[in-house]
Amino acid sequence: MASTARDGFTSTFGVFLATVGSAVGLGNIWKFPSLTGTNGGAGFLLVYLLATLLVGLPVMIVETMLGRAARANAITTFEREAPKGQWWWKSIGWMGFAAALFILAFYSDVAGWVYAYVFKAAFGELTTTDPKAAASIFGGLVSSPGTSVFWQAVVLVVTGAIIMLGVARGIEAVARKLMPLLFLLLLVLCVRSLTLPGSAEGLAFLFRPDFSKITPGVILTALGLAFFKLSVGMGTMLTYGSYFRENQNIPGTTARVMLADLSISLLAGIAIFPAVFAFGFEPASGPSLVFMTIPAVFTSMPGGTLFMTIFFFLTAIASVGAMLSLLEVPVAILAERYGFGRKQAALCTILAVAVFGIPAALSNSVTADLKLFGLNPFDLFDFLSSNVLLPLGGILICLFVGWIYGLPQLRDQLSNHGDLSNAPVINAVFFLVRYVTPLSIAVVLLHGLKVF
Ligand code: PFF
């Protein structure tokens, strides 16, 4: 895409697929199960569902709308849409720029583990259902500084190469091919996991809430996950919205993306937790959970090695779709505001990601004790982005649309200038983003960060 003439998605279904490509990624397969496990299971899931419906979706709708209205990157959009003199709204775009770098720093690290697991699976190194053996395989990978940084570098090079192909071709083509297959494999995994002896305990963990486990910190984490999952609060959906077609039904498309995304996360949960209990893994093992449990489920079925390899390969591709969308925020800013070519912009962004990414990748070895607020670099970037920057961006986007942009313009945009008769939906979105969403994020954020 040239920096002057804006390229865009070429079909209505292509828009849907590309947006799903941003939302679905390591968040579903890795982060959702890991956080559900460490935060007590069903109670967390319940809060996450509420956060997705009441906060994530409305923010996604208005964020996408802003991008399409302004047809610009996350900074220029606020310059164009804010009243003269209110320059500070631009800071939303800059926060998004920073959040993209932080997320990419740890995301590329986890994607590296997935790439490495593709090969380990193919060579039959992962065929075990024994928790100790599985933990030592994963531990061996992440605690070796050279190996972690190597795989992260592979991820960054691959992703950088793909973004240089341009928006329509690159992103759509990748997104289009992978989703149904990943979905199918997850279904197979669910069936296997549910038929393991002792699987009922896992289902209860996932679906029978223990309300005593829902603390302010848990609620903030669930909210952060809702933002992270839907790629909102940092200008990614805004930037994607800027490539949306004029006749795209924004509330309809985003709701469908949210549902698709949620189903994949739930399938991942159902594939993992019954197996966790059946094989005796620890549900609260955190980031390693998926890397230990998924191979165990595959190991217990015929053709396990082949399917396991395909599974990690598809997850790697899913991570590419999400990373492309993350890169798109800084790349669009550098290209449209600072005259960078897209290739140059992608290259600079990737170099910047490497600067943050290497300390993150070394968090299980060299930088393990390099702590800020008690968090190693990996956890710090994760916390800062998901639990601070995205919710903060979400509040500001809601306040902007609810109090500055206003209902008449929102109506015009979300109804495609009157072509869609969706007034009740628009009124509900407006009510949410004007009052409910910013207020609830603020309360959760202040409580979760222990400000009060
Ligand atoms: N939604 C992606 C996932 O769940 O894997 C991660 C992500 C992509 C977060 C893009 C934020 C973003 F802007």
Side-chain angles (χ1 to χ4, degrees), residues 20-29 31 100 103 107 225 227-237 261 318-319 321-323 325-327 329 390:
V20 170
S22 167
V24 173
L26 300 175
N28 308 68
I29 310 287
K31 201 171 202 219
I103 294 178
Y107 207 87
L225 179 66
F227 278 102
F228 184 88
K229 275 307 317 123
L230 296 177
S231 312
V232 297
M234 51 167 288
T236 300
M237 278 305 142
D261 179 63
S319 76
M323 287 186 67
S325 73
L326 277 160
L327 278 165
V329 175
L390 303 194

Side-chain angles (χ1 to χ4, degrees), residues 26-27 45 115 156 169 204 215 249 299 314 338:
L26 300 175
L45 176 58
Y115 283 30
L156 292 179
R169 270 174 302 157
T215 62
N249 176 344
T299 302
L314 291 175
Y338 299 99

